[in-house]
Amino acid sequence: MLRGTLLLALLLGTGLAQAPKPLLVGGVAGEALYPGGAGVAYGEAGLVAEGLGLGLWQGKNEVALSLGALVKRFPVADQEARAARTSSAWRKEGKVYLPLRPLAQALGLSYVAGQGIRLEIPPARLLFAQGTELEGRRRLVLRFSREVNALPYQGGLLFPFAEGSGEGFRPEDRGLFLALDAPPDRLSYPGGGQVVLEWGPLPLPRPVVLLDPGHGGKDTGVGEEKTLVLDLARRVASRLSGVEVRLTRRDDRDVPLEERRRLAQGAAVVLSLHAKRGPGVTLYLADRPPTRLAQSVRELLPNLSPERKALLLRQAGDGEALAQALAQALAALGLPVSQARGPYALARVTGAGVVVEVGLETLASGEMRQALAEALAAAIRGYLP
C-alpha cells in the first residue's frame, strides 16, 4: 500500500512539473510549456520576440533571436524529449518553442520563476548620438547602455524598452522613438550597445596596387636588376595617392613566386618590374584571361556606372587596357615599347597584371628612373576609375 502511494505521488509530481504555467514576456501574456518532463520552461518564439522587441529568424531546422549584436540560435527538434534533453527549440503543432532560461542568459534578459515565468529586459539608456556627413554620405551613431533593436515605426525608428532624450527623440509607451526624414539605407549593430544608421551610397574601398620588384636576395637578376627595380618600385609607390600600394618586397630579399602570387590576390593592378639587356621596354601580358568574367570585362565596362566599373575592375581587371595606358605613357618618354604574351605568373591574376621589362641602360640613370616612375604612376591612375 505504501509503495503504491509513493508511486502515485511520483506520477502526480511529474504531471505537475509538465503542466503549463503562466508566462509574461514584457507586456505580452502566454503559456510556458515543459516538454519531456525535464523542468525546462519553453515559450513560443513569436510571442517572446513580440513581447521584448527581439529580432526573429526561423528556418526549417534552426531558429534565432537577436538583440542588437547579440544572437542566440537554437536547432529545432520535433520530439519533445530530445528538445528538452539538448536544450533545442521544439516544434509543436506548427509553432516553435524556445528554452527560456538559455535565451535569457544569452541575451541578458531577466528570468524569474515562481507561480509563473516572467521574462523581462532591463531598460536601455541612450548615452549619446553623434552624426557626421561626408561626400553625400550621412551617418548617425547611437550608443545605449546595453544592446538594443531598432524597429521601423511611424516615420522613424523605435528602440523598445529604451529611454533618453535628444534632438529627434521622444518617449513612447513601448520605448524611445527617433523621428527620421528618410529611412536609413543601412542599419547595423557593431556591438557595445551601438546602432549605426547610414544614408547614401556605400564608400568604395580604395583599390589595391601591387608593385612587384623582381628578384632579390641571392637572385640578383641581370646585372644590378634587383637593386634598380626595387628603387623604381619605391619611386612609383611614392607617386600614387588615393590607392593602397603594396610591395612584394621592400628590401633585398628573395620572395618565393607563390608568396608573390598570394600578395597579388585582390589587387586591382599588379605591376611586376624587371630589367633586360638592350634598349626599350617590353610589356608582357597573360596568354589568356584567368576567369570567364575577366574574358568579358572589356565588353561590360562601357555600359557600367563609375561605381560598378570600380567594383568590376577589383574582381576582373583588364590587362590589355592597362598595357595600352602603360605603352602610351612610356612612348611619351621616347622609349620604344613592344608587347608579348605568355604564361607569366604575375600577369595571370584576377586584377590587371602586366610584367614590365626595362632596358638596363635606361634603368641605370636615376633621372630616367624618376621619369619612368612618373609615367608608370600616371598610367595606373589613368587606368583606375
Side-chain angles (χ1 to χ4, degrees):
M1 182 67 178
L2 178 60
R3 184 176 179 181
T5 303
L6 290 174
L7 180 59
L8 179 60
L10 179 61
L11 291 174
L12 288 173
T14 303
L16 289 173
Q18 292 180 331
K21 287 187 176 182
L23 172 64
L24 187 63
V25 183
V28 180
E31 277 190 334
L33 305 183
Y34 293 83
V40 179
Y42 274 63
E44 197 269 313
L47 180 142
V48 172
E50 178 189 355
L52 299 178
L54 303 178
L56 173 62
W57 176 87
Q58 294 190 63
K60 182 178 180 181
N61 298 310
E62 188 179 44
V63 61
L65 275 82
S66 63
L67 178 63
L70 302 176
V71 180
K72 179 60 178 176
R73 293 181 172 85
F74 296 95
V76 179
D78 291 311
Q79 297 178 349
E80 62 177 278
R82 180 183 176 188
R85 185 176 66 252
T86 60
S87 292
S88 300
W90 172 38
R91 184 183 288 111
K92 178 180 184 292
E93 299 175 354
K95 293 185 177 181
V96 175
Y97 294 78
L98 307 169
L100 298 176
R101 191 183 292 274
L103 176 68
Q105 293 172 342
L107 301 187
L109 311 176
S110 171
Y111 176 93
V112 180
Q115 294 297 320
I117 304 296
R118 191 167 72 248
L119 202 61
E120 297 178 339
I121 188 168
R125 290 180 295 103
L126 176 65
L127 302 179
F128 71 79
Q130 183 176 22
T132 58
E133 189 164 354
L134 179 65
E135 297 179 353
R137 296 189 299 272
R138 189 156 57 98
R139 195 168 189 258
L140 178 61
V141 178
L142 310 175
R143 184 166 185 176
F144 292 84
S145 57
R146 63 159 173 80
E147 294 293 332
V148 299
N149 281 343
L151 309 179
Y153 181 75
Q154 296 182 359
L157 294 174
L158 180 71
F159 303 93
F161 302 97
E163 54 191 28
S165 61
E167 184 178 354
F169 289 93
R170 71 168 185 262
E172 294 276 347
D173 290 340
R174 296 178 56 199
L176 187 63
F177 174 75
L178 171 62
L180 298 172
D181 53 6
D185 296 310
R186 292 169 300 281
L187 188 151
S188 60
Y189 304 101
Q194 294 185 89
V195 181
V196 178
L197 314 177
E198 294 178 303
W199 293 263
L202 276 171
L204 292 174
R206 293 195 305 167
V208 175
V209 174
L210 180 71
L211 303 176
D212 172 47
H215 309 281
K218 294 181 179 180
D219 182 7
T220 60
V222 180
E224 295 295 317
E225 179 177 3
K226 68 172 185 177
T227 303
L228 295 174
V229 295
L230 178 58
D231 178 74
L232 177 60
R234 289 170 174 166
R235 292 173 186 254
V236 175
S238 68
R239 283 156 181 76
L240 290 173
S241 59
V243 300
E244 181 181 345
V245 182
R246 301 174 185 170
L247 273 67
T248 55
R249 66 182 180 95
R250 294 182 177 273
D251 51 25
D252 184 17
R253 63 188 181 93
D254 185 17
V255 180
L257 178 60
E258 284 307 310
E259 175 65 10
R260 296 177 194 254
R261 290 178 64 120
R262 186 190 68 79
L263 293 170
Q265 294 177 6
V269 169
V270 178
L271 222 58
S272 187
L273 304 174
H274 290 264
K276 65 173 184 174
R277 299 191 186 279
V281 180
T282 303
L283 305 178
Y284 294 94
L285 292 164
D287 50 355
R288 67 179 187 275
T291 65
R292 289 184 178 180
L293 180 58
Q295 292 175 10
S296 57
V297 67
R298 301 194 77 183
E299 300 174 3
L300 294 171
L301 286 175
N303 302 318
L304 298 178
S305 66
E307 293 79 11
R308 292 182 178 273
K309 180 178 179 182
L311 289 172
L312 178 60
L313 289 179
R314 286 162 176 74
Q315 302 297 323
D318 187 350
E320 290 187 12
L322 176 61
Q324 183 179 358
L326 291 168
Q328 291 176 350
L330 294 168
L333 298 178
L335 296 172
V337 180
S338 60
Q339 291 189 21
R341 290 183 177 272
Y344 307 110
L346 289 183
R348 295 189 64 186
V349 292
T350 53
V354 178
V355 179
V356 181
E357 256 189 5
V358 185
L360 275 174
E361 294 181 2
T362 303
L363 280 176
S365 164
E367 184 178 344
M368 277 304 300
R369 289 199 301 276
Q370 184 85 357
L372 280 168
E374 293 174 356
L376 295 175
I380 293 171
R381 289 194 301 268
Y383 165 77
L384 292 172

